[in-house]
């Protein structure tokens, strides 16, 4: 439960999402590929399986240099149990909508926790 | 009258009583301070919560806009997905974490840190280059919103944890520590009272015995004198309880001592 401060090197955003989302975000300039071919983005296609996504999710959350992890909401749906169990403060997990799946507040795991807290 | 329920095992002396009373006072002060802290944090928490909700909806709209601009690019230039992925080498968009202190809790906040000049040159995207640039800007704005949202969200989660912990401490003090100290104080006071009663009883008993001894000695003296044929009343009594101040050990009890309250 270490809610310690982020280290100085946490400065990247990472993305797990569909191609269009990735393209747009990379266009903005958040993409990074390290010399050893480690990327901070992962393209999810229709046929990508849940355990592959879970693997990438685990990898990104363990990396020390990622501050914010963006994930498409429908992708988060595929690995909902893993996402719901995620309690770390860093990297910050953010569910974003995709082109085909607009944002649905009722499925967001963070808001779900909040609602549980307040009993609405 | 002794404290029921758990209490500390402590030797009941007056000093222990004072110590325990001081601790109880400390615990009560601590309790009210923590309750105040918890209330302040909860207010801040609700405020952040509202902001988070708003920000998420705003983000929904912003991302929608950004997707449209990307669609425009695709229309004008064709699919640039592969190109963009290939060209991503070093992130020009980073975040800096800075600490904020909110009523005693250190919260991190993310700040957008754009590294200029490392933007890939958009070679191969000549036609419709303007659209691409525009889309880039829209997405950059979107990411800024996302970063803000992420800051709020982390603050929110950390505050949540801290509020829970503080609440636990408040409850612990209220339901465990203070009752224990109360019980300890009651126990010590009842033990002290008991000791006082015993002391009183003991003194009374000794006093009674002394009195009996004195009476027995007096009777014996009278008997001796009668035997010798003298008049018992003419010989001065060596001991007169009310007038004694000759310091004999037997008279300690009859001399008036201000400390003794009976």
């Amino acid at each position: 439960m270490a809610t310690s401060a982020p280290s100085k090197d946490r400065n990247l955003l990472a993305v797990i999402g569909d191609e269009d989302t990735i393209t747009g975000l990379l266009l903005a300039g958040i993409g990074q590929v390290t010399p050893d071919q480690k990327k901070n983005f992962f393209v999810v296609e229709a046929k990508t399986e849940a355990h592959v996504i879970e693997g990438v999710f685990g990898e990104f959350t363990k990396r020390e240099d990622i501050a914010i992890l963006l994930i498409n909401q429908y992708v988060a749906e595929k690995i909902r149990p893993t996402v719901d169990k995620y309690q770390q403060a860093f990297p910050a997990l953010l569910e974003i909508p995709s082109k085909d799946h607009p944002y649905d507040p009722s499925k967001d795991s963070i808001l779900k926790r909040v609602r549980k807290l307040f009993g609405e | 009258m002794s404290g029921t329920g758990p209490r500390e095992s402590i030797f009941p002396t007056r000093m222990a009583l004072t110590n325990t009373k001081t601790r109880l006072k400390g615990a009560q002060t601590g309790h009210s301070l923590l309750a105040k802290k918890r209330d302040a944090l909860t207010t801040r928490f609700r405020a952040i919560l509202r902001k988070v909700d708003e920000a998420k909806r705003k983000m929904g709209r912003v991302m929608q806009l950004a997707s449209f601009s990307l669609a425009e690019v695709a229309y004008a230039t064709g699919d640039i997905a592969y190109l963009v992925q290939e060209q991503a080498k070093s992130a020009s968009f980073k975040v800096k974490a800075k600490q904020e202190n909110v009523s005693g809790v250190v919260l991190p906040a993310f700040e957008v840190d754009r590294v200029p000049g490392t933007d890939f040159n958009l070679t191969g995207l000549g036609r419709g280059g303007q659209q691409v640039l525009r889309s880039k800007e829209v997405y950059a704005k979107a990411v800024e919103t996302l970063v803000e949202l992420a800051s709020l969200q982390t603050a929110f989660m950390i505050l949540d944890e801290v509020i829970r912990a503080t609440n636990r401490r408040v409850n612990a003090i209220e339901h465990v520590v203070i009752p224990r100290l109360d019980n300890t104080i009651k126990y010590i006071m009842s033990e002290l009272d008991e000791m006082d009663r015993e002391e009183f009883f003991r003194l009374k008993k000794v006093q009674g015995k002394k009195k009996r001894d004195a009476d027995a000695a007096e009777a014996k003296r009278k008997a001796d004198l009668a035997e010798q044929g003298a008049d018992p009343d003419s010989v001065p009594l060596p001991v007169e309880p009310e007038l004694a101040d000759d310091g004999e050990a037997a008279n300690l009890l009859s001399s008036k001592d201000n400390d003794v309250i009976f």
Side-chain angles (χ1 to χ4, degrees), chain A residues 1 5-6 11 20 23-27 29 31-33 68 89-90 93-96 103 108 110 113-114 117-118, chain B residues 46 49 56 59 70 81 84 88-95 97 99 108 136 139 146 150 153-154 156 160-161:
Chain A
M1 205 208 76
N11 50 13
D20 290 328
T23 310
L25 291 170
L26 287 181
L27 204 48
Q32 166 141 320
V33 182
I68 307 180
F90 294 99
L93 182 66
L94 209 44
E95 291 184 24
I96 55 182
Y103 184 65
D108 192 321
I110 309 292
R113 270 186 75 179
V114 168
L117 263 180
F118 288 107
Chain B
R46 284 185 202 271
L49 184 58
K56 285 221 177 224
M59 171 199 72
L70 192 58
V84 167
K89 282 287 170 284
S90 157
S92 64
F93 208 113
K94 298 195 191 169
V95 288
Q99 316 274 55
K136 186 151 116 68
Y139 261 102
L146 287 176
Q153 200 169 282
T154 359
F156 169 87
D160 184 31
E161 283 302 328

Side-chain angles (χ1 to χ4, degrees), chain B residues 22-244:
Chain B
T22 315
R23 281 167 60 194
L24 178 67
K25 190 138 183 308
Q28 281 164 339
T29 320
H31 175 267
S32 67
L33 280 176
L34 275 180
K36 276 204 202 103
K37 174 175 175 177
R38 178 195 53 184
D39 292 338
L41 287 178
T42 310
T43 326
R44 181 62 79 120
F45 184 72
R46 284 185 202 271
I48 292 193
L49 184 58
R50 229 191 326 268
K51 274 204 267 181
V52 165
D53 206 57
E54 248 174 62
K56 285 221 177 224
R57 290 177 206 278
K58 179 168 160 209
M59 171 199 72
R61 290 194 298 271
V62 160
M63 289 299 287
Q64 195 83 330
L65 272 172
S67 307
F68 286 156
S69 76
L70 192 58
E72 273 177 23
V73 168
Y75 182 67
T77 319
D79 190 17
I80 56 167
Y82 187 67
L83 265 167
V84 167
Q85 278 177 39
E86 281 307 297
Q87 292 202 325
K89 282 287 170 284
S90 157
S92 64
F93 208 113
K94 298 195 191 169
V95 288
K96 259 200 310 245
K98 67 171 169 32
Q99 316 274 55
E100 265 176 9
N101 191 317
V102 169
S103 50
V105 182
V106 185
L107 292 178
F110 293 121
E111 226 172 38
V112 169
D113 181 25
R114 291 193 77 167
V115 183
T118 52
D119 291 342
F120 39 65
N121 48 11
L122 301 164
T123 51
L125 297 169
R127 190 173 55 106
Q130 205 183 28
Q131 247 100 354
V132 174
L133 271 175
R134 216 195 7 248
S135 180
K136 186 151 116 68
E137 282 311 311
V138 175
Y139 261 102
K141 263 235 139 24
V143 176
E144 274 173 22
T145 318
L146 287 176
V147 166
E148 253 175 56
L149 184 49
S151 291
L152 281 176
Q153 200 169 282
T154 359
F156 169 87
M157 298 208 12
I158 293 186
L159 258 188
D160 184 31
E161 283 302 328
V162 173
I163 289 182
R164 264 190 241 268
T166 314
N167 212 20
R168 257 181 254 140
R169 283 204 203 108
V170 169
N171 287 343
I173 293 188
E174 190 180 315
H175 296 288
V176 175
V177 174
I178 289 187
R180 267 173 56 120
L181 289 176
D182 266 338
N183 288 341
T184 313
I185 288 180
K186 283 203 199 102
Y187 163 71
I188 296 182
M189 285 178 41
S190 73
E191 285 296 306
L192 286 176
D193 283 345
E194 183 80 25
M195 292 198 297
D196 280 346
R197 277 197 291 269
E198 284 172 7
E199 197 60 36
F200 180 73
F201 183 73
R202 195 180 307 128
L203 280 171
K204 276 297 191 191
K205 265 278 197 229
V206 171
Q207 202 178 30
K209 177 158 184 357
K210 294 279 181 206
K211 193 161 178 352
R212 278 200 312 277
D213 285 350
D215 287 347
E218 171 67 13
K220 185 166 179 306
R221 193 187 70 88
K222 281 203 175 120
D224 285 345
L225 284 177
E227 223 175 276
Q228 290 167 18
D231 178 10
D233 295 327
S234 63
V235 179
L237 295 163
V239 179
E240 215 15 281
E242 288 78 50
L243 310 175

Side-chain angles (χ1 to χ4, degrees), chain B residues 240-255:
Chain B
E240 215 15 281
E242 288 78 50
L243 310 175
D245 63 351
D246 45 9
E248 284 194 26
N251 278 347
L252 266 180
L253 277 176
S254 28
S255 62

